[in-house]
Short mmCIF file of all heavy atoms in Angstrom, two decimals:
data_model
loop_
_atom_site.label_atom_id
_atom_site.label_comp_id
_atom_site.label_asym_id
_atom_site.label_seq_id
_atom_site.Cartn_x
_atom_site.Cartn_y
_atom_site.Cartn_z
N ILE A 20 0.86 -1.18 0.00
CA ILE A 20 0.00 0.00 0.00
C ILE A 20 0.90 1.23 0.00
O ILE A 20 1.68 1.43 0.93
CB ILE A 20 -0.92 0.02 1.24
CG1 ILE A 20 -1.82 -1.23 1.25
CG2 ILE A 20 -1.78 1.29 1.23
CD1 ILE A 20 -2.69 -1.33 2.50
N VAL A 21 0.81 2.02 -1.05
CA VAL A 21 1.60 3.24 -1.14
C VAL A 21 0.93 4.33 -0.30
O VAL A 21 -0.29 4.51 -0.36
CB VAL A 21 1.73 3.70 -2.60
CG1 VAL A 21 2.33 5.11 -2.69
CG2 VAL A 21 2.59 2.71 -3.39
N ILE A 22 1.73 5.01 0.52
CA ILE A 22 1.26 6.18 1.27
C ILE A 22 2.17 7.33 0.87
O ILE A 22 3.34 7.36 1.23
CB ILE A 22 1.28 5.92 2.80
CG1 ILE A 22 2.62 5.34 3.25
CG2 ILE A 22 0.16 4.98 3.20
CD1 ILE A 22 2.78 5.26 4.76
N SER A 23 1.64 8.29 0.12
CA SER A 23 2.52 9.29 -0.47
C SER A 23 1.83 10.65 -0.54
O SER A 23 0.61 10.75 -0.65
CB SER A 23 2.92 8.87 -1.89
OG SER A 23 3.69 9.87 -2.52
N ALA A 24 2.66 11.69 -0.49
CA ALA A 24 2.16 13.06 -0.67
C ALA A 24 1.92 13.36 -2.15
O ALA A 24 1.30 14.37 -2.48
CB ALA A 24 3.15 14.06 -0.10
N ARG A 25 2.41 12.49 -3.03
CA ARG A 25 2.19 12.69 -4.47
C ARG A 25 0.74 12.29 -4.80
O ARG A 25 0.38 11.12 -4.74
CB ARG A 25 3.14 11.83 -5.29
CG ARG A 25 4.61 12.09 -5.04
CD ARG A 25 5.44 11.19 -5.93
NE ARG A 25 6.82 11.10 -5.51
CZ ARG A 25 7.70 10.25 -6.03
NH1 ARG A 25 7.33 9.43 -7.00
NH2 ARG A 25 8.94 10.21 -5.58
N GLY A 26 -0.05 13.28 -5.16
CA GLY A 26 -1.46 12.99 -5.42
C GLY A 26 -1.85 13.00 -6.89
O GLY A 26 -3.01 12.83 -7.23
N ARG A 27 -0.86 13.17 -7.79
CA ARG A 27 -1.19 13.21 -9.22
C ARG A 27 -1.62 11.84 -9.72
O ARG A 27 -1.13 10.81 -9.28
CB ARG A 27 0.02 13.69 -10.02
CG ARG A 27 0.49 15.11 -9.70
CD ARG A 27 1.62 15.49 -10.63
NE ARG A 27 2.68 14.48 -10.62
CZ ARG A 27 3.65 14.40 -11.53
NH1 ARG A 27 3.67 15.26 -12.53
NH2 ARG A 27 4.59 13.48 -11.44
N GLU A 28 -2.53 11.87 -10.67
CA GLU A 28 -3.03 10.62 -11.25
C GLU A 28 -1.90 9.81 -11.86
O GLU A 28 -1.86 8.58 -11.76
CB GLU A 28 -4.09 10.93 -12.30
CG GLU A 28 -4.73 9.69 -12.91
CD GLU A 28 -5.85 10.04 -13.87
OE1 GLU A 28 -6.75 10.80 -13.46
OE2 GLU A 28 -5.82 9.56 -15.01
N GLN A 29 -0.94 10.50 -12.51
CA GLN A 29 0.17 9.78 -13.15
C GLN A 29 0.98 9.00 -12.12
O GLN A 29 1.46 7.89 -12.41
CB GLN A 29 1.10 10.76 -13.88
CG GLN A 29 0.40 11.59 -14.96
CD GLN A 29 0.00 12.95 -14.44
OE1 GLN A 29 -0.74 13.04 -13.46
NE2 GLN A 29 0.47 14.00 -15.09
N ASP A 30 1.17 9.57 -10.92
CA ASP A 30 1.93 8.87 -9.88
C ASP A 30 1.19 7.63 -9.40
O ASP A 30 1.78 6.58 -9.17
CB ASP A 30 2.20 9.81 -8.70
CG ASP A 30 3.16 10.94 -9.07
OD1 ASP A 30 4.18 10.65 -9.72
OD2 ASP A 30 2.87 12.09 -8.73
N LYS A 31 -0.12 7.77 -9.24
CA LYS A 31 -0.93 6.62 -8.80
C LYS A 31 -0.89 5.51 -9.84
O LYS A 31 -0.71 4.34 -9.51
CB LYS A 31 -2.37 7.06 -8.54
CG LYS A 31 -2.52 8.05 -7.40
CD LYS A 31 -3.97 8.45 -7.20
CE LYS A 31 -4.11 9.47 -6.08
NZ LYS A 31 -5.52 9.87 -5.86
N ILE A 32 -1.05 5.88 -11.11
CA ILE A 32 -1.03 4.88 -12.17
C ILE A 32 0.34 4.19 -12.23
O ILE A 32 0.43 2.96 -12.35
CB ILE A 32 -1.35 5.53 -13.54
CG1 ILE A 32 -2.82 5.96 -13.56
CG2 ILE A 32 -1.07 4.56 -14.69
CD1 ILE A 32 -3.18 6.81 -14.77
N ALA A 33 1.42 4.98 -12.13
CA ALA A 33 2.76 4.40 -12.18
C ALA A 33 2.99 3.41 -11.04
O ALA A 33 3.56 2.33 -11.24
CB ALA A 33 3.82 5.51 -12.14
N ALA A 34 2.54 3.78 -9.83
CA ALA A 34 2.72 2.89 -8.68
C ALA A 34 1.91 1.61 -8.84
O ALA A 34 2.41 0.51 -8.57
CB ALA A 34 2.34 3.62 -7.40
N LEU A 35 0.67 1.74 -9.28
CA LEU A 35 -0.17 0.55 -9.44
C LEU A 35 0.33 -0.32 -10.59
O LEU A 35 0.32 -1.56 -10.48
CB LEU A 35 -1.62 0.98 -9.68
CG LEU A 35 -2.28 1.68 -8.49
CD1 LEU A 35 -3.62 2.28 -8.90
CD2 LEU A 35 -2.47 0.73 -7.31
N ASP A 36 0.78 0.29 -11.68
CA ASP A 36 1.34 -0.49 -12.78
C ASP A 36 2.61 -1.22 -12.36
O ASP A 36 2.92 -2.30 -12.87
CB ASP A 36 1.65 0.41 -13.98
CG ASP A 36 0.41 0.75 -14.80
OD1 ASP A 36 -0.62 0.07 -14.61
OD2 ASP A 36 0.47 1.69 -15.61
N ALA A 37 3.36 -0.63 -11.43
CA ALA A 37 4.60 -1.27 -10.95
C ALA A 37 4.31 -2.46 -10.05
O ALA A 37 5.20 -3.27 -9.79
CB ALA A 37 5.46 -0.26 -10.21
N GLY A 38 3.07 -2.55 -9.54
CA GLY A 38 2.72 -3.70 -8.71
C GLY A 38 2.14 -3.38 -7.36
O GLY A 38 1.84 -4.29 -6.58
N ALA A 39 1.96 -2.08 -7.05
CA ALA A 39 1.32 -1.73 -5.78
C ALA A 39 -0.13 -2.18 -5.79
O ALA A 39 -0.78 -2.20 -6.85
CB ALA A 39 1.41 -0.22 -5.53
N ASP A 40 -0.65 -2.52 -4.62
CA ASP A 40 -2.04 -2.97 -4.51
C ASP A 40 -3.01 -1.83 -4.22
O ASP A 40 -4.20 -1.94 -4.54
CB ASP A 40 -2.15 -4.01 -3.39
CG ASP A 40 -1.34 -5.26 -3.68
OD1 ASP A 40 -1.89 -6.17 -4.31
OD2 ASP A 40 -0.17 -5.31 -3.29
N ASP A 41 -2.52 -0.77 -3.62
CA ASP A 41 -3.40 0.32 -3.22
C ASP A 41 -2.57 1.60 -3.08
O ASP A 41 -1.33 1.54 -3.02
CB ASP A 41 -4.09 -0.02 -1.90
CG ASP A 41 -5.45 0.64 -1.75
OD1 ASP A 41 -5.72 1.61 -2.51
OD2 ASP A 41 -6.24 0.20 -0.90
N TYR A 42 -3.25 2.75 -2.99
CA TYR A 42 -2.56 4.04 -2.96
C TYR A 42 -3.36 5.00 -2.10
O TYR A 42 -4.54 5.23 -2.35
CB TYR A 42 -2.45 4.59 -4.39
CG TYR A 42 -1.48 5.73 -4.57
CD1 TYR A 42 -0.30 5.54 -5.28
CD2 TYR A 42 -1.73 7.00 -4.06
CE1 TYR A 42 0.60 6.58 -5.48
CE2 TYR A 42 -0.85 8.04 -4.26
CZ TYR A 42 0.32 7.83 -4.97
OH TYR A 42 1.21 8.86 -5.15
N LEU A 43 -2.73 5.53 -1.07
CA LEU A 43 -3.35 6.53 -0.21
C LEU A 43 -2.53 7.81 -0.28
O LEU A 43 -1.30 7.78 -0.14
CB LEU A 43 -3.39 6.04 1.24
CG LEU A 43 -4.60 5.22 1.69
CD1 LEU A 43 -4.39 4.73 3.12
CD2 LEU A 43 -5.87 6.05 1.61
N THR A 44 -3.21 8.93 -0.49
CA THR A 44 -2.53 10.21 -0.55
C THR A 44 -2.51 10.86 0.84
O THR A 44 -3.54 10.93 1.51
CB THR A 44 -3.24 11.15 -1.55
OG1 THR A 44 -3.29 10.51 -2.83
CG2 THR A 44 -2.49 12.46 -1.68
N LYS A 45 -1.32 11.31 1.25
CA LYS A 45 -1.19 12.02 2.53
C LYS A 45 -1.79 13.42 2.39
O LYS A 45 -1.63 14.06 1.34
CB LYS A 45 0.28 12.15 2.92
CG LYS A 45 1.01 10.83 3.13
CD LYS A 45 2.48 11.12 3.39
CE LYS A 45 3.32 9.87 3.55
NZ LYS A 45 4.76 10.16 3.69
N PRO A 46 -2.45 13.93 3.45
CA PRO A 46 -2.78 13.25 4.70
C PRO A 46 -4.00 12.35 4.53
O PRO A 46 -4.84 12.62 3.69
CB PRO A 46 -3.08 14.42 5.65
CG PRO A 46 -3.62 15.48 4.75
CD PRO A 46 -2.87 15.34 3.46
N PHE A 47 -4.06 11.29 5.31
CA PHE A 47 -5.18 10.35 5.23
C PHE A 47 -5.67 10.05 6.64
O PHE A 47 -4.96 10.25 7.62
CB PHE A 47 -4.76 9.05 4.53
CG PHE A 47 -3.50 8.45 5.09
CD1 PHE A 47 -3.52 7.67 6.24
CD2 PHE A 47 -2.30 8.66 4.45
CE1 PHE A 47 -2.35 7.14 6.75
CE2 PHE A 47 -1.11 8.12 4.96
CZ PHE A 47 -1.15 7.35 6.11
N GLY A 48 -6.88 9.56 6.74
CA GLY A 48 -7.45 9.19 8.03
C GLY A 48 -7.05 7.79 8.43
O GLY A 48 -6.92 6.90 7.58
N MET A 49 -6.83 7.57 9.72
CA MET A 49 -6.42 6.24 10.18
C MET A 49 -7.51 5.21 9.91
O MET A 49 -7.24 4.05 9.61
CB MET A 49 -6.07 6.30 11.66
CG MET A 49 -5.59 4.97 12.25
SD MET A 49 -4.29 4.13 11.29
CE MET A 49 -3.00 5.37 11.24
N GLY A 50 -8.78 5.62 10.01
CA GLY A 50 -9.86 4.68 9.73
C GLY A 50 -9.80 4.13 8.33
O GLY A 50 -10.01 2.93 8.09
N GLU A 51 -9.47 5.00 7.36
CA GLU A 51 -9.36 4.55 5.98
C GLU A 51 -8.16 3.63 5.80
O GLU A 51 -8.26 2.60 5.12
CB GLU A 51 -9.22 5.75 5.04
CG GLU A 51 -9.18 5.35 3.57
CD GLU A 51 -9.14 6.53 2.61
OE1 GLU A 51 -8.99 7.67 3.09
OE2 GLU A 51 -9.25 6.29 1.40
N LEU A 52 -7.03 3.96 6.41
CA LEU A 52 -5.86 3.09 6.31
C LEU A 52 -6.15 1.72 6.90
O LEU A 52 -5.79 0.69 6.32
CB LEU A 52 -4.65 3.72 7.01
CG LEU A 52 -3.39 2.85 7.06
CD1 LEU A 52 -2.92 2.48 5.66
CD2 LEU A 52 -2.27 3.56 7.82
N LEU A 53 -6.80 1.67 8.06
CA LEU A 53 -7.12 0.39 8.68
C LEU A 53 -8.02 -0.45 7.78
O LEU A 53 -7.85 -1.67 7.66
CB LEU A 53 -7.79 0.62 10.04
CG LEU A 53 -6.88 1.18 11.14
CD1 LEU A 53 -7.72 1.60 12.35
CD2 LEU A 53 -5.84 0.15 11.55
N ALA A 54 -8.97 0.20 7.12
CA ALA A 54 -9.85 -0.53 6.21
C ALA A 54 -9.06 -1.09 5.03
O ALA A 54 -9.27 -2.24 4.62
CB ALA A 54 -10.96 0.40 5.71
N ARG A 55 -8.15 -0.28 4.50
CA ARG A 55 -7.33 -0.76 3.37
C ARG A 55 -6.43 -1.93 3.80
O ARG A 55 -6.19 -2.86 3.03
CB ARG A 55 -6.47 0.38 2.82
CG ARG A 55 -7.23 1.64 2.44
CD ARG A 55 -7.84 1.60 1.07
NE ARG A 55 -8.48 2.85 0.74
CZ ARG A 55 -8.06 3.68 -0.22
NH1 ARG A 55 -6.99 3.38 -0.93
NH2 ARG A 55 -8.72 4.79 -0.49
N LEU A 56 -5.90 -1.85 5.02
CA LEU A 56 -5.08 -2.95 5.53
C LEU A 56 -5.89 -4.23 5.63
O LEU A 56 -5.41 -5.32 5.27
CB LEU A 56 -4.49 -2.59 6.90
CG LEU A 56 -3.29 -1.64 6.90
CD1 LEU A 56 -3.00 -1.18 8.32
CD2 LEU A 56 -2.06 -2.32 6.30
N ARG A 57 -7.10 -4.14 6.13
CA ARG A 57 -7.94 -5.34 6.26
C ARG A 57 -8.22 -5.97 4.90
O ARG A 57 -8.16 -7.20 4.74
CB ARG A 57 -9.25 -4.99 6.97
CG ARG A 57 -9.08 -4.65 8.45
CD ARG A 57 -10.42 -4.61 9.17
NE ARG A 57 -11.28 -3.52 8.71
CZ ARG A 57 -11.29 -2.30 9.24
NH1 ARG A 57 -10.45 -2.01 10.24
NH2 ARG A 57 -12.11 -1.38 8.78
N VAL A 58 -8.49 -5.13 3.92
CA VAL A 58 -8.73 -5.65 2.56
C VAL A 58 -7.48 -6.34 2.02
O VAL A 58 -7.55 -7.43 1.45
CB VAL A 58 -9.17 -4.50 1.62
CG1 VAL A 58 -9.18 -4.98 0.17
CG2 VAL A 58 -10.55 -3.99 2.02
N ALA A 59 -6.32 -5.69 2.18
CA ALA A 59 -5.07 -6.26 1.68
C ALA A 59 -4.76 -7.60 2.33
O ALA A 59 -4.33 -8.55 1.66
CB ALA A 59 -3.92 -5.28 1.92
N LEU A 60 -4.99 -7.70 3.63
CA LEU A 60 -4.72 -8.95 4.34
C LEU A 60 -5.67 -10.06 3.92
O LEU A 60 -5.27 -11.23 3.82
CB LEU A 60 -4.79 -8.72 5.85
CG LEU A 60 -3.63 -7.89 6.43
CD1 LEU A 60 -3.95 -7.46 7.86
CD2 LEU A 60 -2.33 -8.66 6.38
N ARG A 61 -6.91 -9.71 3.65
CA ARG A 61 -7.86 -10.73 3.18
C ARG A 61 -7.43 -11.25 1.81
O ARG A 61 -7.49 -12.46 1.54
CB ARG A 61 -9.27 -10.14 3.10
CG ARG A 61 -9.95 -10.00 4.44
CD ARG A 61 -11.46 -9.84 4.29
NE ARG A 61 -11.82 -8.63 3.56
CZ ARG A 61 -12.07 -7.46 4.12
NH1 ARG A 61 -11.97 -7.32 5.44
NH2 ARG A 61 -12.41 -6.41 3.39
N ARG A 62 -7.01 -10.35 0.94
CA ARG A 62 -6.54 -10.79 -0.38
C ARG A 62 -5.31 -11.68 -0.28
O ARG A 62 -5.20 -12.69 -0.98
CB ARG A 62 -6.21 -9.56 -1.24
CG ARG A 62 -7.42 -8.80 -1.74
CD ARG A 62 -6.96 -7.58 -2.51
NE ARG A 62 -8.09 -6.78 -2.97
CZ ARG A 62 -7.97 -5.53 -3.43
NH1 ARG A 62 -6.77 -4.96 -3.46
NH2 ARG A 62 -9.02 -4.86 -3.84
N ALA A 63 -4.39 -11.29 0.58
CA ALA A 63 -3.16 -12.07 0.74
C ALA A 63 -3.47 -13.46 1.27
O ALA A 63 -2.86 -14.45 0.87
CB ALA A 63 -2.20 -11.35 1.67
N ALA A 64 -4.42 -13.54 2.20
CA ALA A 64 -4.79 -14.85 2.76
C ALA A 64 -5.37 -15.75 1.67
O ALA A 64 -5.17 -16.97 1.68
CB ALA A 64 -5.80 -14.67 3.89
N ALA A 65 -6.08 -15.14 0.73
CA ALA A 65 -6.68 -15.93 -0.35
C ALA A 65 -5.66 -16.31 -1.41
O ALA A 65 -5.68 -17.42 -1.95
CB ALA A 65 -7.82 -15.14 -1.00
N ASP A 66 -4.74 -15.40 -1.70
CA ASP A 66 -3.81 -15.62 -2.81
C ASP A 66 -2.54 -16.32 -2.41
O ASP A 66 -1.88 -16.97 -3.22
CB ASP A 66 -3.44 -14.28 -3.46
CG ASP A 66 -4.65 -13.60 -4.08
OD1 ASP A 66 -5.65 -14.29 -4.31
OD2 ASP A 66 -4.59 -12.38 -4.31
N GLY A 67 -2.09 -16.15 -1.15
CA GLY A 67 -0.78 -16.64 -0.73
C GLY A 67 0.29 -15.66 -1.14
O GLY A 67 0.09 -14.79 -1.99
#
């Protein structure tokens, strides 16, 4: 999960194309980060 101050669409696309699973732009709320973490962990448990 990328956490970055870079909020441009090109940066998000580049990170996701490189293999990132998600992208959060700083500043972000902890509730949103926790939700993204739960989703990522569920996917990892399914995929290995």
